[in-house]
């Protein structure tokens, strides 16, 4: 059905055009593509382009076809691939309000009306949990230093309240802060274990996409690089105890406990529970005294 002039044969794998001699040298069962005049083939990349084009233009039809195959197909491996395909194509990333993506909100309290409000609440809850741990450590503080320790807790609590418990870290609408963790569309990337600059597995997730991703994202950790329980809080208690008239630099400890200066977002598989063997900066534990100069 193709005109002979201008038609040619190519290798399916990489698009190499065949000469007669090359054709005769090919092994049996080699996959070929027959091209008509003006047609091109760039190998597997062409198939990927056609596949992506189909996803974009016929997404609902692709999902429905995949569901039919999933119903009929019993091979476990193919079932898993099709289930993942349906999951990924059923994303509704851009939807923000409850009425636009009701499935995403299933199982949540009715007070959450949009996705950002829930994820902001989740981040706030983590920060409140960190604050409770710092407060709960007071029983380990020397009795003579407990009042000073409580004073620092109050200062930290006031600062956290003023920034709404840093809930903006997980809110895609707060672009300036969220950009440090995610894209404006809501994609979060694993920042790797504490001893790496990146994630070797390239984990990424968009909790705004669908309900399953929202639930899975709750297992990701905000990992303290300098560890909260092993290093930061004990060092704070020791600093209060041995301050000897010096002023504890509580804002430094606040940064280590509650900000991205010392927090990395990591996939649960990258969260190392072992000792990080990192300590606080001794030069920043106390505030430097302001020098006064007498006028003679």
């Amino acid at each position: 059905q193709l005109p002979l002039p201008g038609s040619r044969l190519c290798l399916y794998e990489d698009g190499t055009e065949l000469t007669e001699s090359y054709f005769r040298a090919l092994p049996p069962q080699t996959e070929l593509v027959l091209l008509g005049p003006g047609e091109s083939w760039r190998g597997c990349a062409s198939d990927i382009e056609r596949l992506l084009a189909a996803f974009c233009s016929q997404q609902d039809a692709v999902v429905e076809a995949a569901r039919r195959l999933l119903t009929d197909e019993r091979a476990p491996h193919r079932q898993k691939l099709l289930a993942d395909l349906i999951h990924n194509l059923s994303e509704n990333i851009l939807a923000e309000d409850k009425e636009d993506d009701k499935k995403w909100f299933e199982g949540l309290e009715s007070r959450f009306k949009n996705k950002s409000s829930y994820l902001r609440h989740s981040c706030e809850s983590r920060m409140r949990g960190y604050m409770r741990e710092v407060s709960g450590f007071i029983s380990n503080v020397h009795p003579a230093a407990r009042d000073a320790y409580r004073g620092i807790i109050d200062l930290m609590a006031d600062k956290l309240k003023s920034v709404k418990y840093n809930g903006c870290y997980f809110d895609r609408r707060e672009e300036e802060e969220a950009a440090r963790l995610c894209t404006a569309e809501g994609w979060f990337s694993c920042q790797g274990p504490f001893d790496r600059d990146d994630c070797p597995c390239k984990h990424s997730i968009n909790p705004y996409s669908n309900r399953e991703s929202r639930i899975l994202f709750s297992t990701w950790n905000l990992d303290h690089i300098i560890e909260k329980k092993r290093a930061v809080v004990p060092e704070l208690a020791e600093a209060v105890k041995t301050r000897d008239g010096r002023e504890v630099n509580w804002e430094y400890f606040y940064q280590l406990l509650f900000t991205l200066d010392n927090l990395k977002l990591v996939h649960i598989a990258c969260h190392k529970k072992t000792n990080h063997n990192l300590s606080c900066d001794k030069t920043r534990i106390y505030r430097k005294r302001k020098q006064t100069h007498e006028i003679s």
Side-chain angles (χ1 to χ4, degrees), residues 38-70:
E39 293 181 325
S40 63
W41 183 259
R42 297 190 298 114
C44 299
S46 296
D47 256 352
I48 295 173
E49 288 176 352
R50 292 167 60 197
L51 189 63
L52 292 176
F55 283 170
C56 294
S57 62
Q58 300 291 332
Q59 180 169 315
D60 292 342
V62 172
V63 171
E64 182 57 32
R67 285 201 172 104
R68 287 198 300 269
L69 286 171
L70 188 56

Side-chain angles (χ1 to χ4, degrees), residues 157-188:
D158 288 342
K159 187 170 180 65
L160 270 177
K161 290 177 184 177
S162 70
V163 294
K164 299 180 180 179
Y165 291 88
N166 288 327
C168 59
Y169 288 165
F170 288 171
D171 186 344
R172 60 179 167 184
R173 297 182 302 180
E174 299 284 347
E175 294 183 10
E176 185 175 345
E177 285 296 331
R180 299 181 66 185
L181 282 177
C182 69
T183 67
E185 290 77 24
W187 282 98
F188 291 84

